[in-house]
Amino acid sequence: MTATIIDGKQIAAETREKVKEAVALRVSKGLPVPGLATVLVGENPASKVYVRNKQKACAEVGIHSIGVELPGDATQEQVEAKVRELNEDPTINGILVQLPLPAHLDEEKILATIQLGKDVDGFHPINIGRLAQKGRTPLFVPCTPAGVMVLLERAGAKLAGANAVVLGRSNIVGMPVALLLVKANATVTICHSRTRDLAGVCRQADVLVAAIGQPEMVKKDWIKPGAVVIDVGINRIEDPTSPKGSRLVGDVAYEEAAEVASAITPVPGGVGPMTIALLLQNTLHARELADLNTQK
Ligand code: NDP
């Protein structure tokens, strides 16, 4: 078997185009454009790149964005005060606090300060709580996990009744992906660093989502023939043959896994591009929610 490649780059481009068209339509009707504020605390170089990319993506689809930067020694009160200020700003519909925050800050409290209707990253404890509860719907779903679900849908994965295995239980990827799969009626197993016989558990999976940050750990013989494999991992490994001396790989040994899976995401070009596309979609949704509130 040779797997179908799930082209996240293309699917993300389609999502971005749809958002761009919706924003242009709003402008043509004289409606306010959506606005996103990113909040960056400190000098983490990777976070700076992520924030810059998010703002660039906003500009490309016509979403207004502002970048708030606070020093690495900002106090809890200063960060919360900034978030409260953005809560009150009618030109801002989405507030994204870039994670991870410096260790002295209470992440949960800061995320809880974001107004629920502006929680475009979906990490507010109430949105995550709703994701975990049967019959409840969060206002926003975290972007990377939402992107995973879009890719599964586009790959034609049958989720109801399927055995789904999620490798990783982080707050930002593994756990919300698992909760979304449960909502989609899959039977879900969540694996982590204490799981016994990881390979054996993975072999039961009709749908396998890897989010562990371990380069190419998932091998061909871990994969059930015909499984759909979504690789969230982004790992930089040394590669003397590459001009940069390194390259990006996922958590799955892609070439060999593609010989047994029915469909698989590449790294790069799989889940990665979906995150920003879904952030833009969530920001548009936040603007639409704000429209409803002003109509009341
Ligand atoms: P974390 O480090 O927060 O979580 C990793 C999870 O994997 C933990 O639950 C950990 O278990 C588990 N784990 C780690 N090593 C092993 C192992 N050897 N065997 C079994 N389980 C293991 O990572 P994130 O969830 O933030 O990110 C995961 C990957 O996804 C990373 O490569 C990251 O770069 C990538 N990523 C990609 C995004 C995108 O595409 N846009 C967005 C976010 C992340 P335990 O809980 O027991 O410690």
Side-chain angles (χ1 to χ4, degrees):
M1 182 179 297
T2 306
T4 303
I5 297 168
I6 308 169
D7 187 350
K9 212 170 155 190
Q10 172 62 28
I11 296 167
E14 289 168 24
T15 305
R16 286 159 83 136
E17 192 53 37
K18 278 192 195 139
V19 173
K20 189 176 178 178
E21 284 166 14
V23 173
L25 188 64
R26 293 185 65 87
V27 172
S28 73
K29 290 180 177 170
L31 293 169
V33 295
L36 176 75
T38 57
V39 179
L40 176 65
V41 187
E43 301 288 327
N44 181 325
S47 293
K48 280 188 163 183
V49 173
Y50 293 144
V51 161
R52 208 181 313 131
N53 287 343
K54 286 166 187 172
Q55 282 162 3
K56 198 167 148 249
C58 282
E60 280 165 11
V61 298
I63 289 179
H64 159 68
S65 76
I66 59 169
V68 174
E69 292 192 13
L70 296 169
D73 60 357
T75 64
Q76 180 78 19
E77 183 44 42
Q78 282 168 332
V79 182
E80 286 182 23
K82 184 46 84 177
V83 171
R84 279 196 294 272
E85 191 185 311
L86 295 167
N87 282 342
E88 298 306 317
D89 184 340
T91 69
I92 294 302
N93 309 107
I95 302 170
L96 182 147
V97 176
Q98 186 63 44
L99 303 177
L101 288 165
H104 68 279
L105 294 171
D106 182 338
E107 176 188 300
E108 190 184 354
K109 264 188 85 193
I110 290 169
L111 294 175
T113 309
I114 299 173
Q115 203 181 92
L116 213 52
K118 296 192 177 190
D119 178 37
V120 287
D121 235 357
F123 293 139
H124 188 294
I126 291 183
N127 274 326
I128 289 291
R130 286 182 184 165
L131 194 61
Q133 288 178 319
K134 195 175 173 187
R136 309 258 159 87
T137 311
L139 282 178
F140 299 96
V141 172
C143 302
T144 303
V148 168
M149 298 307 285
V150 172
L151 294 178
L152 283 171
E153 192 194 328
R154 292 289 294 263
K158 304 262 177 294
L159 297 179
N163 280 336
V165 171
V166 180
L167 300 181
R169 57 174 165 180
S170 73
N171 290 340
I172 63 166
V173 189
M175 191 55 77
V177 166
L179 295 172
L180 285 164
L181 286 166
V182 170
K183 277 210 189 302
N185 297 319
T187 303
V188 180
T189 306
I190 304 171
C191 300
H192 45 76
S193 63
R194 307 285 183 90
T195 300
R196 289 198 202 116
D197 186 19
L198 210 53
V201 177
C202 289
R203 271 194 292 274
Q204 304 299 314
D206 303 306
V207 170
L208 180 63
V209 180
I212 47 178
Q214 302 291 335
E216 300 182 316
M217 186 168 154
V218 178
K219 308 293 184 206
K220 179 180 177 176
D221 65 352
W222 292 32
I223 296 169
K224 180 177 175 179
V228 177
V229 178
I230 305 288
D231 189 354
V232 187
I234 303 176
N235 311 287
R236 187 164 286 284
I237 58 163
E238 283 183 21
D239 180 0
T241 65
S242 146
K244 280 187 179 169
S246 67
R247 69 188 160 93
L248 292 180
V249 296
D251 291 340
V252 178
Y254 176 77
E255 299 291 341
E256 56 178 71
E259 291 171 18
V260 274
S262 64
I264 187 167
T265 57
V267 177
V271 177
M274 295 302 292
T275 301
I276 289 187
L278 271 290
L279 172 66
L280 300 174
Q281 191 172 288
N282 279 356
T283 306
L284 172 64
H285 179 53
R287 179 61 257 177
E288 289 166 353
L289 288 175
D291 293 344
L292 293 177
N293 285 334
T294 41
Q295 281 163 17
K296 275 180 194 160

